Amino acid sequence: MAAHTRRQAQTAGSSDTVLRNEAIPDTDSPGGTAAAVAASGMDTGFSGAHPGTHPGTHPRLLADTLSGMRQALPIVMGYLPVGFAYGVLARKVGLSEWNTILMSVLVYAGSAQFIAVSLLAASVSPLSVVLTTFVVNLRHLLMAAALAPYLRGWSRLRQALFAFELTDESFAMHTRRFAEGRTGAAETYALNATAQSSWIAGAVLGVFSSNLIGDVKPLGLDYALAAMFIALLVGQVRTNMHVLVGLASAALSVGFMLAGAGQWNVILATVCGATLGTVLCCREKKGA
């Protein structure tokens, strides 16, 4: 198609015609495809996929990467201490240094890793450990399904790489970002990679400090996750309705716990809070 237009330009011999047709990118080449998409205004999701095709490619890629790393800072503040606690506990139950670190690299799921460590300490069979952690992580199917509509333009490989580093915390960040149209791949991958790097770094510190610490519970490291979720929630509160739903959910969670709901208090409060938010949102739309 592009070759045909170039031949037309040469035949016409008009300088104006040549300039117009040369401006049409050659979509048969990777660079031409990127230029065509850029010219159409579409977000490829990875501005730096083909360096050299656009004068602002490298500065934009760097800016997107730094932006993603900066957005991951609240997650980093939570992952470092909890990853540290995981590294210490894993070494206390006899997991080797490399296996402890590799689990953070390959599994990358806090709750699943803590459960796996406790099951291994109880000498549970490897098959039971795998099945238990699989069930615990089934929620990732729902999180991925919620974000999938925003990533329809991504290739399967990119989606798989994104899904591998999806966690509860990064899901909260991406839900807000994607709703704002910020689906750039460089920024998204930078956020995920920074979060996982901090998780691995925490585990490494825990491994090398395990001989110096007898018990991590007195250190209160588990509060880091709660503090991190509060920080993520504050960043998503935009309207009075969000404040009302957040406070109501917190009050319900405490109420259910005091009423004896046990660990179900969070799930029950989440369902009630989500229902309240849906009802208020529908009423707001009807009144608009």
Side-chain angles (χ1 to χ4, degrees), residues 109-175:
S111 56
Q113 288 180 229
F114 277 102
I115 291 174
V117 167
S118 62
L119 292 177
L120 290 173
S123 301
V124 176
S125 66
L127 180 60
S128 299
V129 174
V130 172
L131 290 177
T132 302
T133 53
F134 174 76
V135 172
V136 169
N137 281 335
L138 276 178
R139 69 189 186 283
H140 285 243
L141 291 176
L142 297 176
M143 294 192 293
L147 297 179
Y150 297 104
L151 306 178
R152 287 172 179 164
W154 288 29
S155 67
R156 294 294 185 189
L157 178 59
R158 286 184 178 183
Q159 291 179 354
L161 291 174
F162 170 80
F164 172 73
E165 292 187 311
L166 184 63
T167 63
D168 300 301
E169 296 76 17
S170 61
F171 170 76
M173 297 291 292
H174 292 312
T175 299

Side-chain angles (χ1 to χ4, degrees), residues 26-99:
D26 185 356
T27 54
D28 292 338
S29 67
T33 302
V37 174
S40 66
M42 293 175 59
D43 186 356
T44 63
F46 204 155
S47 58
H50 305 288
T53 59
H54 191 281
T57 293
H58 291 302
R60 182 182 171 186
L61 176 62
L62 178 61
D64 289 347
T65 302
L66 293 176
S67 175
M69 295 173 67
R70 185 169 57 252
Q71 293 174 52
L73 288 180
I75 300 177
V76 172
M77 299 300 291
Y79 276 8
L80 278 175
V82 179
F84 176 83
Y86 157 74
V88 173
L89 290 176
R91 290 293 295 137
K92 293 297 181 186
V93 302
L95 210 61
S96 70
E97 292 91 343
W98 281 111
N99 284 335

Side-chain angles (χ1 to χ4, degrees), residues 67-68 70-75 146-147 150 162 168-183 187-188 191 230-238 242:
S67 175
R70 185 169 57 252
Q71 293 174 52
L73 288 180
I75 300 177
L147 297 179
Y150 297 104
F162 170 80
D168 300 301
E169 296 76 17
S170 61
F171 170 76
M173 297 291 292
H174 292 312
T175 299
R176 185 188 64 184
R177 293 179 59 250
F178 290 172
E180 297 172 348
R182 300 164 64 183
T183 56
E187 189 178 70
T188 301
L191 192 157
I230 292 174
L232 294 176
L233 175 64
V234 170
Q236 299 190 54
V237 172
R238 303 294 177 84
H242 293 162

Side-chain angles (χ1 to χ4, degrees), residues 7-18:
R7 282 195 297 274
Q8 282 184 324
Q10 292 167 357
T11 302
S14 166
S15 59
D16 290 342
T17 306
V18 170

